[in-house]
Amino acid sequence: MYCKILKNNYSEVQVGSSVGTLGFVGTGTIAAAMIEGLALSGSEPIIVSPRNADIAADLAARFANVTIAADNQAVVDASDMVVLSVRPQIADEVLRPLNFRPDQHVLSLIATISLEYLHEVTAPAATVTRAVPLPPVARGQGPTAVFPPNARVKALYDRLGVAIELGDESEFDVFSAATATMSSYFAFARTVTAWMEANGVDAAKAHAFMAQMLEGLGSASPAAPERSFAQLADEYQTRGGINEQVFRAITRDGVLPDLDAALDGVLARLRAGRGITD
Ligand SMILES: NC(=O)c1ccc[n+]([C@@H]2O[C@H](COP(=O)([O-])OP(=O)(O)OC[C@H]3O[C@@H](n4cnc5c(N)ncnc54)[C@H](OP(=O)(O)O)[C@@H]3O)[C@@H](O)[C@H]2O)c1
């Protein structure tokens, strides 16, 4: 079944339910976000594992195409594409006992678990792909890094925003590390609104102001993709003005040094999880 949707208000794209039956092993935050986003543009059968019980029940109640399986093996048995969405700490104990079929496609969202390990633990499943979707997929606005390139997975994540296909697992690590900045984005907003409140501003007005300012700034880059972030940083400050004052105070040569170092730390952690210590 094919239908047309408007994507991010910019262009019209064709979408289809070509993944067959989609099963989720691990029904938590990111599984729910994907299922919500998929409902915007399709109605393929979706089977979820019974944990987390509340999230699974909520999804099944909201979406007619979502059913809850008796256990993880029942998810695998019923699915064409099996999405692995449990936490890394329990991945091995959850995956080892499961039996996959040769014709199945395994899509792992689990951070730090390598493609090599996934092939071993899900054999004889023929196709394995890694992806790192983000919560905005629930609104069809997620950029999703995918490794290795795969047409079905690309089509899936293009429905949920934009798929970015990568041919190298080390590059995939870098994209995964970059996703670790999401919470700090909101902490940036919180620092500004808390400072406004400390200076006597009403909290609701500060929140409304910051939310709208960030939405406007966030759409500036997709609207002008030819401009680099460095160019935008330059354009948004007047020489000798107040933006330049804050920019100079919190960056060094236009880079936030603590953030730069924190990303190095995340990348090292992700690579150590794959047994790489360079
Ligand atoms: N959140 C994100 O933005 C994001 C983005 C990209 C990738 N990921 C990756 O996606 C995975 C899930 O992350 P998440 O944020 O969605 O975590 P989460 O909300 O904790 O979801 C994990 C789910 O797994 C369930 N679970 C626990 N034991 C299980 C078992 N034996 N069998 C089946 N399910 C079981 C948990 O149920 P209970 O609540 O009952 O324990 C929970 O609902 C992680 O590997 C993470 O690295 C997350």
Side-chain angles (χ1 to χ4, degrees):
M1 184 184 80
Y2 282 82
C3 61
K4 285 182 175 179
I5 59 165
L6 280 179
K7 186 177 180 188
N8 300 339
N9 296 326
Y10 294 128
S11 61
E12 201 174 62
V13 294
Q14 296 281 341
V15 296
S17 50
S18 58
V19 289
T21 299
L22 205 56
F24 286 82
V25 175
T27 310
T29 305
I30 202 64
M34 270 189 67
I35 291 166
E36 280 180 33
L38 289 170
L40 299 173
S41 60
S43 57
E44 61 269 273
I46 292 177
I47 318 285
V48 297
S49 60
R51 281 187 70 177
N52 171 279
D54 289 345
I55 298 173
D58 176 63
L59 290 167
R62 286 162 61 205
F63 304 112
N65 56 323
V66 175
T67 54
I68 306 171
D71 54 35
N72 293 337
Q73 186 61 53
V75 172
V76 175
D77 292 346
S79 306
D80 297 303
M81 182 181 283
V82 184
V83 184
L84 307 179
S85 41
V86 290
R87 292 183 189 167
Q89 294 84 349
I90 61 163
D92 196 67
E93 72 185 74
V94 171
L95 298 180
R96 288 262 171 224
L98 295 177
N99 296 309
F100 292 83
R101 299 190 307 272
D103 62 298
Q104 283 180 316
H105 190 148
V106 175
L107 173 59
S108 173
L109 315 184
I110 307 172
T112 76
I113 301 285
S114 72
L115 194 70
E116 185 184 11
Y117 166 87
L118 289 163
H119 269 295
E120 180 217 316
V121 82
T122 65
T127 310
V128 181
T129 310
R130 297 183 65 190
V132 56
L134 306 178
V137 293
R139 299 187 302 279
Q141 295 179 336
T144 303
V146 171
F147 165 78
N150 178 279
R152 291 171 86 201
V153 175
K154 176 174 165 43
L156 186 75
Y157 284 114
D158 277 344
R159 282 172 59 186
L160 298 172
V162 177
I164 298 173
E165 293 189 297
L166 304 167
D168 182 303
E169 198 159 29
S170 287
E171 197 181 13
F172 183 81
D173 289 338
V174 175
F175 277 80
S176 299
T179 70
T181 57
M182 288 190 298
S183 176
S184 300
Y185 168 88
F186 292 113
F188 173 86
R190 190 227 170 238
T191 303
V192 178
T193 54
W195 176 87
M196 292 170 78
E197 287 170 43
N199 280 277
V201 170
D202 172 70
K205 286 180 182 168
H207 182 94
F209 174 83
M210 198 62 188
Q212 189 65 40
M213 185 170 94
L214 291 178
E215 183 173 10
L217 293 173
S219 60
S221 182
E226 73 286 358
R227 286 199 183 87
S228 69
F229 289 119
Q231 283 173 311
L232 288 171
D234 200 45
E235 282 174 27
Y236 277 72
Q237 56 185 301
T238 305
R239 199 168 297 280
I242 59 174
N243 263 278
E244 184 190 76
Q245 184 175 341
V246 173
F247 182 80
R248 287 197 170 171
I250 67 170
T251 74
R252 196 167 64 221
D253 297 329
V255 171
L256 295 159
D258 289 345
L259 182 55
D260 210 29
L263 285 168
D264 283 343
V266 172
L267 185 58
R269 180 175 161 192
L270 291 174
R271 289 187 171 158
R274 294 204 291 114
I276 297 171
T277 52
D278 59 342

